[in-house]
Amino acid sequence: MIVIEESDFKLTQIADSSNFWDLELLYTVKPKGKESREEFKIAGYGMTMETCIKRIINHRIAKKHPEAIDMKTYFAEYKQALKEVSELCQGV
């Protein structure tokens, strides 16, 4: 089974011969009366790699912009994040 881990996500292959993945994303948890901490939480089970990448990109944009953003900004940042992921895949 393959596990792919970066600073803000973790992908776990659901079986050795499968093309489906479980996705965990890094969230900031703020318990009442305690210090906030970073923690991985399940974002989906049995998803394709393409779906995982889309969710990772959306999560990164949402963390960067907790407030509302316009469509132009969203698509510009989505394209930039997709480019970065593509470069990771190509080993650039």
Side-chain angles (χ1 to χ4, degrees):
M1 199 160 34
I2 299 170
V3 176
I4 301 169
E5 189 170 343
E6 291 287 333
S7 61
D8 61 344
F9 70 87
K10 193 183 303 184
L11 288 167
T12 305
Q13 189 179 27
I14 63 170
D16 287 336
S17 61
S18 179
N19 288 326
F20 296 98
W21 303 82
D22 294 340
L23 173 64
E24 295 175 69
L25 295 171
L26 190 65
Y27 287 92
T28 302
V29 177
K30 298 176 186 176
K32 257 189 175 173
K34 295 183 181 179
E35 299 260 340
S36 63
R37 67 181 186 278
E38 300 286 306
E39 176 177 301
F40 283 104
K41 291 186 176 186
I42 293 293
Y45 294 102
M47 299 185 299
T48 64
M49 181 64 75
E50 183 179 352
T51 299
C52 290
I53 290 170
K54 289 177 182 178
R55 289 210 181 172
I56 291 164
I57 291 170
N58 280 327
H59 180 69
R60 288 178 176 178
I61 294 170
K63 273 188 104 168
K64 188 174 178 183
H65 298 281
E67 74 290 347
I69 60 173
D70 59 50
M71 189 70 85
K72 183 178 180 180
T73 303
Y74 172 79
F75 280 116
E77 295 201 14
Y78 189 92
K79 282 197 258 183
Q80 179 60 36
L82 188 57
K83 179 182 174 193
E84 290 168 7
V85 171
S86 294
E87 288 173 356
L88 269 177
C89 294
Q90 296 171 12
V92 173

